[in-house]
Amino acid sequence: MGTSDSILDDKVYCMSHYLAFRYVADESRNFFPHLSHRNLVLDSTIDTIADAKELDSYIAKKMQGLNPNSTGIMLSGGIDSAIVASYLPKGAKAFTLKCIGSPNAIDETENAHRYAEYYGLEHIVVPVYWEDVVARLPDIFAFDGVPCHSIEPLIDIALSTAKRLGIDTMCVGESFDLVFGGMDKLLAKDWGFDEFVERYTFLEPSLALKSYVDTKCMFEPYRLGNKIDFLRFMDEVFAIESSTSYWHMFQKNNMRYLDPAQKVRMSAPLDLYRIRNGEPKYIVRELFSMRYKGMEIPNKIPMPREVDYWLRDYEPKRDEFLLSPNIQLSGDQKWQLFCLEQFLNIFDPK
């Protein structure tokens, strides 16, 4: 096989895996020879907790001694970051993103303001415009070496805003969903192998690319006959994909990352019965009620991204793409294609 064939193989491999998993797990495979990428290596040391009271004490210890003048938090309208915010010193800054798009855009600022006010934090709303998102992509691509997750430009906007205000440590509640059973849709059943592959694959490469590779190899190590060890897959694959997006942007902005539950694991297995019967993150929900007495527990919503609106008319134009007119794509799936196309336009212009 010639060098050009090898380069093409790497490009096709990376395009396929990025569309399927939103990251490229194999660091030895890169889009082009002059690029490289790294994924977060998860710390193997863990601390176990049994209940909400132990989690309360654990987080309090992790967040002792923070300077309110140089510490911030990415505060959404959900319970995870709200809990982290409750341990910050009074006067610390809380940053809430507000995407500017459709009239029906998700707006978490009202809930976030209540949390900030409850604990005496300075609440700062950070507007996010599509033009700013697009303008940041070249620098993010150059830093990451791969196309990015749709939350990365938003994190970059939040962190760069915080740095201008003297923040050098930013707190997040990113790990709570994975650790405490917040991914209730992925935990909804004991999956068969093939149905989990179909459910988890973000965008099937064969539906979007003229040349692609089969990405099922990522699932095979977790196969249990016709079933799959979906919990281990989530711990070892999803966890890296999710955390790497944050890690990249914190590294890019030279910002200290503080997720107080990052090394936590539950001492007992997740109670899947409770999760599957309407109690996701049951320990976290209990802790929220302890920290925000009398306040209603909000419904889970993802980080606000207006990709459905921003990309409502987007269609890929490069020759690499092959889309059937019968395929209906979500805004997040359109982002994957848009981001990949922007990446290729920069590093492989045609």
Side-chain angles (χ1 to χ4, degrees), residues 19 25 95 107 122 127 129 133 183 208 219 273 280 317 346 348:
L19 291 182
F95 298 86
D107 186 354
E122 180 184 350
Y129 297 92
V133 170
M183 310 303 296
F219 299 93
Y273 179 84
K317 297 178 177 61
I346 291 173
D348 188 23

Side-chain angles (χ1 to χ4, degrees), residues 150-321:
S150 57
I151 64 173
E152 288 194 37
L154 278 66
I155 298 170
D156 193 43
I157 290 169
L159 296 184
S160 60
T161 301
K163 282 191 72 173
R164 290 195 296 271
L165 296 175
I167 302 301
D168 60 26
T169 298
M170 186 70 88
C171 304
V172 299
E174 192 270 335
S175 65
F176 282 64
D177 269 338
L178 183 67
V179 173
F180 298 108
M183 310 303 296
D184 49 323
K185 292 181 180 178
L186 289 177
L187 299 172
K189 59 187 292 186
D190 295 332
W191 296 89
F193 182 83
D194 290 331
E195 64 176 350
F196 186 78
V197 170
E198 182 177 354
R199 170 64 182 82
Y200 188 87
T201 300
F202 193 75
L203 177 54
E204 169 54 46
S206 64
L207 298 178
L209 299 173
K210 292 178 182 177
S211 297
Y212 60 90
V213 299
D214 186 349
T215 56
K216 191 178 286 188
C217 59
M218 287 284 288
F219 299 93
E220 287 294 345
Y222 306 93
R223 181 191 282 274
L224 300 172
N226 293 326
K227 295 286 189 177
I228 186 169
D229 188 344
F230 60 93
L231 292 174
R232 189 163 67 90
F233 179 92
M234 291 171 65
D235 282 342
E236 297 178 3
V237 176
F238 173 77
I240 294 175
E241 178 265 314
S242 176
S243 297
T244 293
S245 298
Y246 281 81
W247 179 64
H248 278 164
M249 292 303 94
F250 274 75
Q251 292 285 310
K252 176 178 179 291
N253 285 277
N254 193 29
M255 181 77 71
R256 181 191 172 204
Y257 178 90
L258 179 53
D259 181 344
Q262 188 175 30
K263 295 184 180 181
V264 169
R265 296 295 182 270
M266 294 177 61
S267 56
L270 283 173
D271 189 335
L272 294 177
Y273 179 84
R274 293 182 68 177
I275 293 170
R276 292 169 181 175
N277 286 274
E279 289 189 83
K281 290 193 291 193
Y282 44 90
I283 285 180
V284 177
R285 293 165 69 88
E286 182 180 346
L287 181 54
F288 180 90
S289 295
M290 291 165 54
R291 302 294 294 180
Y292 292 90
K293 297 186 185 301
M295 193 175 290
E296 183 179 356
I297 299 175
N299 293 325
K300 174 182 171 63
I301 54 176
M303 181 181 284
R305 302 185 300 272
E306 277 291 276
V307 286
D308 286 298
Y309 180 78
W310 288 334
L311 295 173
R312 61 194 181 280
D313 298 322
Y314 167 72
E315 292 182 0
K317 297 178 177 61
R318 287 182 63 102
D319 290 340
E320 290 91 344
F321 297 110

